[in-house]
């Protein structure tokens, strides 16, 4: 097996292409898992909303709100794995893309 120092330009380009493909696949998987986490969270929030609406006292509503906030802070955000998004974004930025001019800022159609 060759060391990195002895790889030819074509081999380096092939490795970069493979890494870029893996990064793109990882990005799509991360988005899919984040969406699933958020959809689950919406169901949980709807459940809490029903419980709060049916609560008979402000004290009970307060407890339910506290449980909901705890769930949002402790379960949803960590399960989004923002650290993996950040790492992959940094990987994309460090490898660059010959097709990108940097003049455009891609925004999802619903946002921009």
């Amino acid at each position: 097996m060759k060391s990195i120092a002895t790889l030819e330009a074509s081999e380096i380009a092939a490795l970069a292409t493979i890494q870029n493909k893996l990064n793109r696949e990882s990005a799509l998987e991360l988005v899919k898992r984040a969406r699933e986490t958020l959809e689950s969270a919406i169901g949980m929030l709807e459940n809490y909303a029903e419980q709060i609406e049916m609560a008979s006292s402000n004290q009970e509503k307060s407890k339910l709100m506290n449980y909901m906030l705890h769930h949002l802070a402790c379960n949803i955000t960590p399960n989004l794995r923002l650290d993996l998004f950040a790492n992959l974004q940094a990987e994309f930025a460090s490898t660059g893309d010959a097709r990108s001019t940097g003049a455009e800022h891609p925004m999802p159609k619903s946002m921009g």
Side-chain angles (χ1 to χ4, degrees):
M1 179 164 197
K2 295 181 179 182
S3 71
I4 291 178
T6 61
L7 290 176
E8 294 183 25
S10 62
E11 294 170 315
I12 293 171
L15 288 174
T17 299
I18 292 167
Q19 182 64 48
N20 194 26
K21 183 178 185 286
L22 291 173
N23 287 344
R24 289 173 192 255
E25 290 171 1
S26 294
L28 293 174
E29 183 62 29
L30 279 172
V31 170
K32 178 183 171 190
R33 279 194 275 154
R35 181 184 180 121
E36 290 168 356
T37 296
L38 293 171
E39 287 172 347
S40 174
I42 289 169
M44 181 274 309
L45 289 171
E46 289 171 349
N47 184 28
Y48 273 114
E50 289 173 13
Q51 290 181 45
I52 290 167
E53 191 173 313
M54 294 175 13
S56 59
S57 70
N58 285 343
Q59 184 177 8
E60 188 178 352
K61 289 179 186 199
S62 174
K63 283 183 182 180
L64 287 165
M65 291 292 295
N66 187 46
Y67 297 152
M68 181 189 65
L69 289 170
H70 175 78
H71 184 78
L72 288 170
C74 296
N75 296 325
I76 296 170
T77 303
N79 287 332
L80 288 176
R81 295 304 312 263
L82 298 177
D83 59 321
L84 296 178
F85 275 97
N87 290 342
L88 194 53
Q89 185 273 334
E91 182 69 27
F92 279 132
S94 70
T95 59
D97 189 341
R99 294 175 292 179
S100 176
T101 63
E104 304 160 0
H105 180 69
M107 291 287 280
K109 290 179 184 177
S110 64
M111 296 180 75

